Amino acid sequence: MCAMKNYPYIITVSSEKGGVGKTTLATNLAIFIKALDENLPVSIFSFDNHFTIDKMFAIKGQKLNSDVSDLLLETTGRELLYTGQYGINYIPSSTALADLKSSVKGPMVLARLLAASDIPGVLIIDTRPDLDVLTQNALYAADQVIIPIKDLASMENCRNIFDLFDKRGLDKKSLSLIPCLIDERIKFEGMFNDQKTLLKAYAINRGYRCHDIYISKSPKVESLNTNPDGKIYPILTHGRGTDVFGQFTQLAKVVMEEIKATKEPRSYLFLQWLTAENDRKKEAFFARLSGLKSDCLLCGRPLSLDKQHGVSYFYETSDGGATGFMEEACFSDFLMSSLYNINTHLAADDPVRLMLHDTAKESAFAFKPRINGNGAEVECHRFDLSGAQISRKSYPLMEHREGTTDKPEQLFTLMSGTLDGYGGTFRDAFLLVHPVNAKNPEAILVEENYRELTKLRKSIAEQIN
């Protein structure tokens, strides 16, 4: 394993089918792994809300101030660990996870949180019997995914997990099936004469990796979860002498071999990738920032993002030739005088000016210069911020004359190949103007925001070219 102990090796136990022994597998595997190496830290938490983990590992009288929901709220994972029974660390379960699902944006959130969790050793994640966003996150973060199956129905269900990995282009070698709750009294005629052999044959036929080990159905083990004491007992201490005890011993040894063979757990590799990706995003952001024009496109005054002189609009030519910001008053006056033929001397609180201001802040504008038989003109398009076109109109351009201060002339000179009039050809591009947050205008250049702007620009280009 990685020499740094604060990158956990992650094992996720998952199945869409309920009643396949998933939680029994997760909890007891943790204890058997710990028994094989007492110096190896082993931790566990669950995205299910049945609190089995808490019942098994909580120490009586232990004061609990946090739970697994805090992990999703960005609390460092190691700070959430409680020392539990049998030497297992655990993060308490939570009933608040359903309310937090909507805040988990994307399938790699948990991978990021666990890469920064500082949880040492091995971490086992128990999941709900469905493929919701939390289960998907637990699957993608794992070094090993163990999928318990007990019948053909659970075998069919596991196909969805493999399909998820295919869609993400992830290596399916981390996925393995294990027959669980196998009733060894059931026998069949023919080549596949028992449940475990039949299930393994079906798994291999579908191209799935399947453990040679299986977990038997055992009345003794079932009594460890349901008894008059209301407690949950581990197989290690209360199931000695059963076949299941030996089977978990074998499984833990196989899992430990894979753990020891892993030089760098997925959490460590993900952190490396994340660091490189963040560096790339920062570099791209500063490159975009350094490429900005320093003056307002319309009035020519120097802009200061630090002082935030009313900077409320970002502009960019579709060919990437020029980018920058415009002052709010300048662009509003331009819209009023050049496009809507409204007197720019209206008071700041005039209803017409306020209405125009509100409309413009909810719109993106595209300006496309053209030359036709009547001379130079510009097509002005207004879109909502999702890319749906609201209006389109063409405006003729005045001939360029020395000393002109007409704002359309200033705006569209940028799109021309010459400053000596419009007799030549315009660049094959359009000017996109997009509203920004005046308090943080450069945020539009951050990777996620700029990606959305790029999608909008491409959508607009398809509509106006």
Side-chain angles (χ1 to χ4, degrees):
M1 292 183 65
C2 177
M4 300 181 68
K5 294 183 179 180
N6 56 333
Y7 299 106
Y9 182 97
I10 299 166
I11 302 170
T12 293
V13 181
S14 181
S15 173
E16 277 191 282
K17 192 82 165 57
V20 294
K22 181 170 54 63
T23 300
T24 299
L25 180 62
T27 52
N28 283 280
L29 181 60
I31 294 171
F32 273 85
I33 290 175
K34 183 67 175 178
L36 290 176
D37 185 351
E38 293 184 355
N39 294 318
L40 177 65
V42 179
S43 305
I44 190 169
F45 70 77
S46 178
F47 280 141
D48 212 337
N49 59 2
H50 48 49
F51 288 83
T52 301
I53 283 176
D54 306 68
K55 294 173 184 177
M56 176 171 278
F57 296 112
I59 296 174
K60 188 175 181 180
Q62 196 171 40
K63 187 177 181 181
L64 305 178
N65 299 314
S66 55
D67 56 46
V68 71
S69 67
D70 293 297
L71 178 65
L72 301 179
L73 295 172
E74 306 281 339
T75 301
T76 302
R78 188 163 187 165
E79 297 176 10
L80 302 174
L81 291 177
Y82 289 86
T83 301
Q85 297 194 73
Y86 320 111
I88 304 298
N89 301 315
Y90 73 104
I91 300 178
S93 303
S94 173
T95 58
L97 293 179
D99 296 330
L100 287 175
K101 284 183 184 180
S102 61
S103 66
V104 180
K105 305 297 184 183
M108 303 305 291
V109 173
L110 186 63
R112 174 179 62 81
L113 295 174
L114 295 180
S117 69
D118 199 29
I119 294 176
V122 176
L123 172 64
I124 297 179
I125 305 174
D126 182 35
T127 58
R128 285 181 53 78
D130 57 40
L131 289 181
D132 65 5
V133 66
L134 296 181
T135 300
Q136 291 182 43
N137 269 261
L139 290 169
Y140 297 145
D143 294 273
Q144 283 192 63
V145 176
I146 302 177
I147 309 168
I149 55 171
K150 73 169 186 178
D151 50 28
L152 290 181
S154 54
M155 169 76 74
E156 291 300 324
N157 277 37
C158 75
R159 178 192 301 173
N160 296 326
I161 295 177
F162 284 80
D163 288 345
L164 281 175
F165 274 61
D166 279 334
K167 290 177 183 178
R168 288 280 164 186
L170 297 176
D171 190 351
K172 292 179 290 187
K173 291 180 181 177
S174 64
L175 306 176
S176 59
L177 278 57
I178 181 167
C180 280
L181 303 181
I182 298 301
D183 190 337
E184 297 187 73
R185 296 171 301 177
I186 298 175
K187 301 295 181 181
F188 308 115
E189 293 183 2
M191 184 182 302
F192 309 120
N193 59 3
D194 54 38
Q195 278 184 300
K196 62 180 183 297
T197 306
L198 181 63
L199 288 173
K200 185 175 180 179
Y202 272 108
I204 293 172
N205 185 56
R206 286 164 169 75
Y208 302 156
R209 179 187 173 200
C210 187
H211 281 284
D212 291 328
I213 304 158
Y214 64 95
I215 307 298
S216 297
K217 182 180 178 65
S218 168
K220 171 67 174 177
V221 171
E222 290 177 2
S223 72
L224 301 182
N225 298 328
T226 306
N227 52 73
D229 297 332
K231 296 181 179 180
I232 299 178
Y233 297 102
I235 295 165
L236 180 70
T237 57
H238 288 69
R240 290 182 179 273
T242 65
D243 290 341
V244 178
F245 180 93
Q247 292 158 359
F248 265 101
T249 301
Q250 292 177 8
L251 177 62
K253 288 179 178 178
V254 170
V255 171
M256 279 292 288
E257 288 177 2
E258 295 198 30
I259 293 172
K260 291 178 179 178
T262 303
K263 295 181 180 179
E264 295 174 327
R266 185 171 173 79
S267 56
Y268 178 71
L269 296 175
F270 184 81
L271 185 66
Q272 286 185 314
W273 174 85
L274 194 63
T275 300
E277 182 68 3
N278 286 338
D279 289 344
R280 182 195 67 77
K281 289 181 179 180
K282 288 178 182 177
E283 184 177 339
F285 169 76
F286 285 115
R288 288 189 286 266
L289 196 63
S290 63
L292 296 172
K293 300 291 185 182
S294 59
D295 302 330
C296 174
L297 178 63
L298 292 172
C299 70
R301 288 196 298 265
L303 294 172
S304 172
L305 299 183
D306 293 333
K307 295 182 179 180
Q308 300 169 1
H309 287 310
V311 173
S312 291
Y313 293 92
F314 172 78
Y315 71 85
E316 181 177 58
T317 56
S318 60
D319 60 2
T323 60
F325 292 102
M326 287 185 281
E327 293 185 2
E328 181 177 355
C330 289
F331 189 61
S332 293
D333 285 353
F334 163 71
L335 292 176
M336 292 172 67
S337 63
S338 301
L339 301 188
Y340 301 127
N341 198 26
I342 299 173
N343 189 340
T344 59
H345 297 295
L346 294 176
D349 60 352
D350 185 277
V352 174
R353 180 182 283 276
L354 292 175
M355 181 180 67
L356 179 65
H357 169 270
D358 292 342
T359 299
K361 295 298 287 184
E362 298 293 329
S363 306
F365 298 86
F367 302 97
K368 176 75 175 178
R370 298 185 188 277
I371 292 181
N372 54 33
N374 298 320
E377 65 177 19
V378 61
E379 288 181 356
C380 300
H381 304 258
R382 183 165 74 91
F383 299 83
D384 66 23
L385 297 182
S386 70
Q389 184 160 268
I390 298 173
S391 63
R392 172 186 177 276
K393 190 173 182 180
S394 295
Y395 295 86
L397 291 176
M398 298 168 53
E399 291 184 3
H400 183 81
R401 294 188 295 274
E402 184 177 353
T404 182
T405 58
D406 185 71
K407 284 181 179 175
E409 298 292 332
Q410 297 173 34
L411 186 64
F412 300 115
T413 291
L414 178 68
M415 306 303 294
S416 177
T418 174
L419 297 179
D420 297 322
Y422 294 97
T425 59
F426 286 109
R427 290 156 52 191
D428 185 20
F430 63 88
L431 185 73
L432 174 66
V433 179
H434 192 284
V436 295
N437 182 351
K439 294 181 180 180
N440 187 21
E442 63 269 32
I444 198 170
L445 301 176
V446 173
E447 179 86 7
E448 291 74 13
N449 298 331
Y450 192 73
R451 188 185 303 122
E452 291 302 312
L453 181 71
T454 300
K455 288 170 58 178
L456 176 63
R457 186 180 66 238
K458 289 180 179 178
S459 174
I460 289 174
E462 291 173 357
Q463 297 179 66
I464 69 176
N465 287 334

